[in-house]
Amino acid sequence: VAPRVLGLPLPLVLCGGGAAAFVYQSARGGGGARGVADGLRRGLSRAAAAAEATTGQRVSEAQAAALLLAGGYMLWRFVLRPSGAGAGRGGGEGGFGDIEFAAYDKGWNDALEKRKYAPVLDPAAAEPRASSSRWGLGSLFQLAMAGTLIYQMGAPGGQPWSAANAIAGARNMNPMTLVFLLNMLSGLF
């Protein structure tokens, strides 16, 4: 009820509440700001140990922090972000998401409603069309192809998949395949 009353998105309330609970518990148990810093350090050490166990490579606390920040950003961008926040490719509030297409959007809407055409004097005043998600069947195919390629890098010659093999496969990847993979992944963001 509180997020609706305050107009805040639920993911923001949950993340903020979790952070506040962490700070409160750490400060109470460890003596103020030093307790919070120690709690963060312990959390980063656990994350670094988990990354080391997964990849088989040495991971520092700074690298673990970067991984956590990148993972948190991707979680926010693709899962938790409210539908109206930010204008992605093909999204936004007006039609195609570009001011250059405002006249096209207005003309299209005028034709649908059988109104006489009137030029757009202010592109920001054009009527917005409902935007659709940029994730479609093509994005799913790109994701499946990228996932298959990453899986094949991690399981060479029928061996079980491991992150260490995937990293080694990425280091020794054919440059053309690397360009192909980066092109597929860049199309998803």
Side-chain angles (χ1 to χ4, degrees):
V1 175
R4 288 184 186 169
V5 172
L6 298 174
L8 298 172
L10 183 60
L12 182 64
V13 171
L14 292 176
C15 292
F22 170 77
V23 168
Y24 174 75
Q25 288 292 347
S26 298
R28 190 179 77 166
R34 181 170 296 205
V36 173
D38 289 341
L40 285 174
R41 214 171 285 117
R42 279 192 308 272
L44 287 176
S45 294
R46 282 190 222 142
E52 283 180 24
T54 302
T55 62
Q57 302 291 323
R58 171 82 177 109
V59 176
S60 70
E61 289 179 359
Q63 291 170 327
L67 285 172
L68 289 174
L69 288 174
Y73 171 74
M74 291 178 69
L75 182 68
W76 169 259
R77 178 170 170 97
F78 296 115
V79 178
L80 300 175
R81 182 172 65 171
S83 61
R89 184 178 47 132
E93 290 186 5
F96 291 101
D98 297 325
I99 289 182
E100 294 86 2
F101 289 103
Y104 177 82
D105 287 340
K106 185 178 181 318
W108 176 264
N109 291 335
D110 286 347
L112 285 178
E113 296 176 13
K114 300 195 182 338
R115 291 186 296 210
K116 182 173 167 72
Y117 172 74
V120 177
L121 301 176
D122 181 16
E127 299 132 19
R129 285 184 14 202
S131 63
S132 64
S133 171
R134 63 188 186 104
W135 281 84
L137 190 58
S139 297
L140 292 177
F141 277 125
Q142 281 183 328
L143 192 59
M145 289 171 55
T148 302
L149 187 59
I150 291 170
Y151 178 79
Q152 289 173 352
M153 283 190 304
Q159 297 175 4
W161 192 89
S162 74
N165 284 343
I167 292 170
R171 287 182 181 156
N172 300 322
M173 184 184 292
N174 180 349
M176 193 63 194
T177 307
L178 177 64
V179 169
F180 180 68
L181 177 66
L182 291 177
N183 187 28
M184 279 191 298
L185 292 176
S186 70
L188 295 173
F189 300 106

